[in-house]
Amino acid sequence: MWEALDAVDWRALEAVGPDRPATDVPKVLRRIAGADATTRPEAVERASGDLQDLLLAPERTPGRGTDVGTAALPFVVGLALAPETAARPALVDLLAHLACDGAADSARAAAWRRQWPRLRKLFDDGDPVVRRTALQLIADRTGPLLERWYEETDLSVRVTLLLALGRAAAAEEPTEPTDTTEATDAEVRAVLDGALHGENPVLRVAAVIAAASLDPQAVLRARPMLLEILTDPVLAPEFGQVWYTLDCDTPYERNDVAAWVVELLESDPTVATSFVAALAETGIRIGDAELRRCALDEAWRLLSVRPSAAAAVLQLAAGLLADPDDDVRYKAAHLLAVLGPRAAPYADRLAALLEDPGESRFFDGTVGDHARWALTRIGDLRALPDLVERLVAPYRDMQGRGYALSDPRQPDVADVLRPLRAHAGVLLPAVREAFRDEVSRAGWLVGDLREVLHTWGEKPLLPGELEPYPYRWEPPELEPAQAEATVLAYATDGQWHWTLATALDVLARPGHLAPPVREALTALAGADRRHSEYGDYRAFLEDEEIRARIDRVLALP
């Protein structure tokens, strides 16, 4: 192998990039071949990454196959097949990327065909991780996947096979079925049905999810069985040991699979929220905090996109405000906060949590912080004492905060205080003092507090300023025709339009509202989706503002 490697004229091959010369390929291949049990895992991982960088075109490049990748193909195959190679799964994954891009080019396709007899040996490898990773090579073909199903015995590989089968069969469904395609489809459905009614509970769940690609009602019919298996505390650890997909090299935990099921039920929000509530109820009954957290995570995800889930989520979250688990109380209080005035019946329960120091495992703030924000959204005066200090204090010595755009996180200071102008008489002294303190220490909350003061009618100046700083950037004014076009476009394509709020303000002025625009706004008012570009708590705030604007326009004669 090494003589053949040295015989390749690597200098003549076009490099993937200026900092990735093809002459580095044989060096990296030797590094990988030389790794053994004593080699640090980080070094093996780095060598594998280096090889991928040398052989594949950059991400987002149409077709990532390269000439240097084709030249290296037989040597990568040789290392992947050698039992003593330390980085075999990573090499098989690399081969899958090379395979995906080799079919469009005749030279690359020919090189791939020459290696296929050797590559087939990967499916019979003694390492289930290698066999599972190799399924990427046949992921889009039901025939080979069916062959592997009948041969495979390892549960982790069989789960991956079932999920891949469902996806491949759905992708292969022809517009004009033939006897051959109908027979293959029938065989796939028979395999899935056999697993569904088999003895292994994890495979039964996998069969339902795989079947959903072919039969959208499969998950709906299997809800009782899915609930029973996913809430079984004895089975919960097994998911994290065997549930792999071709898209992820780490296993799914039980909660991840439950979230997948909820997502498949989401087309009917009532059914989805009912399933989530059942997860929570079982979590309470059997004392499974992880299951209750999972239920609240899914309730949050549903509510963030489906306003119709509000009533069910309200009951679920309110019932968990006194949960013994800090993370559960945190998320329950946050859900009641984003629900705003709907949570008013539970104001006393929220007030009882104002001093609750419980924290989430992943998000900043405390249970008490979210309970206080919920009370401000309800309009309950019990939230006002020390509100400004409690909002500002955690960030006083920080230079910023990090968060994901779809997490149930602590709201920004401005988003809590800005709507409380009616209570400015009580809160203004504390806001002014906090603003002065932030200015003196060059704190990062200066902008938030200045925005609040501006909203409340004040125009604070910073040292050296002669004129008030503009409050915030505003989109340009729209002509009535432009406003109508914006509303019609948003109603048609569902894509967020950054001038939507401005367009609605223009349409709210006295004048004639064209029937197509009124019809579009009526549909938007009744749409079961969030009118927002955000994925966190701001989705609820922006949705409320947009819907209020829509209502004002529709109230016009």
Side-chain angles (χ1 to χ4, degrees), residues 478-493 497 499-500 503 507 517 520:
L478 299 178
E479 295 295 329
Q482 293 175 306
E484 291 184 347
T486 297
V487 168
L488 291 173
Y490 176 61
T492 301
D493 61 29
H497 288 252
T499 58
L500 180 61
L507 295 178
V517 179

Side-chain angles (χ1 to χ4, degrees), residues 293 296-297 300 327 330-331 334 357-367 369-370 395 401-411 536:
R293 292 180 199 134
L296 286 177
D297 287 341
W300 158 262
D327 212 2
Y330 180 102
K331 292 172 179 176
H334 183 81
E359 298 180 333
S360 170
R361 292 179 296 176
F362 303 110
F363 310 121
D364 59 353
T366 66
V367 175
D369 293 334
H370 286 281
Y395 308 114
R401 60 189 293 217
Y403 54 83
L405 295 178
S406 60
D407 286 338
R409 66 181 179 92
Q410 177 88 338
D536 55 16

Side-chain angles (χ1 to χ4, degrees), residues 1-10 26-27 30 75:
M1 168 175 165
W2 301 117
E3 291 181 2
L5 182 70
D6 293 334
V8 176
D9 187 2
W10 297 101
K27 302 174 187 176
R30 283 189 165 90
F75 309 110

Side-chain angles (χ1 to χ4, degrees), residues 269-304:
T270 302
V271 172
T273 50
S274 174
F275 190 84
V276 168
L279 290 176
E281 290 166 5
T282 306
I284 294 172
R285 178 169 50 80
I286 66 176
D288 189 336
E290 283 291 342
L291 197 56
R292 301 196 299 277
R293 292 180 199 134
C294 173
L296 286 177
D297 287 341
E298 291 312 298
W300 158 262
R301 191 182 60 78
L302 283 169
L303 187 62
S304 66

Side-chain angles (χ1 to χ4, degrees), residues 336-520:
L336 290 183
V338 297
L339 284 166
R342 283 176 174 267
Y346 305 102
D348 289 343
R349 296 191 200 179
L350 289 164
L353 298 175
L354 285 175
E355 304 303 324
D356 190 329
E359 298 180 333
S360 170
R361 292 179 296 176
F362 303 110
F363 310 121
D364 59 353
T366 66
V367 175
D369 293 334
H370 286 281
R372 183 169 282 100
W373 179 43
L375 289 176
T376 69
R377 296 260 295 149
I378 292 170
D380 193 302
L381 298 181
R382 286 174 287 186
L384 299 184
D386 299 323
L387 174 62
V388 176
E389 174 62 16
R390 288 177 180 271
L391 288 172
V392 172
Y395 308 114
R396 188 162 279 137
D397 296 317
M398 297 173 59
Q399 297 303 312
R401 60 189 293 217
Y403 54 83
L405 295 178
S406 60
D407 286 338
R409 66 181 179 92
Q410 177 88 338
D412 292 336
V413 171
D415 288 331
V416 177
L417 292 176
R418 195 171 48 239
L420 301 179
R421 184 172 185 174
H423 304 292
V426 175
L427 298 174
L428 255 177
V431 175
R432 288 172 180 153
E433 176 60 31
F435 176 70
R436 286 192 295 269
D437 181 64
E438 284 292 294
V439 170
S440 69
R441 64 171 66 237
W444 70 283
L445 288 179
V446 168
D448 269 40
L449 294 168
R450 191 178 202 183
E451 182 179 330
V452 171
L453 290 170
H454 188 108
T455 304
W456 291 359
E458 300 208 343
K459 299 188 183 302
L461 296 177
L462 295 179
E465 285 186 342
L466 300 178
E467 295 291 336
Y469 186 78
Y471 167 50
R472 61 165 69 177
W473 180 86
E474 296 288 350
E477 184 72 13
L478 299 178
E479 295 295 329
Q482 293 175 306
E484 291 184 347
T486 297
V487 168
L488 291 173
Y490 176 61
T492 301
D493 61 29
Q495 299 299 311
W496 181 253
H497 288 252
W498 57 277
T499 58
L500 180 61
T502 303
L504 292 170
D505 289 341
V506 171
L507 295 178
R509 298 166 187 166
H512 178 68
L513 189 62
V517 179
R518 181 175 291 276
E519 291 173 7

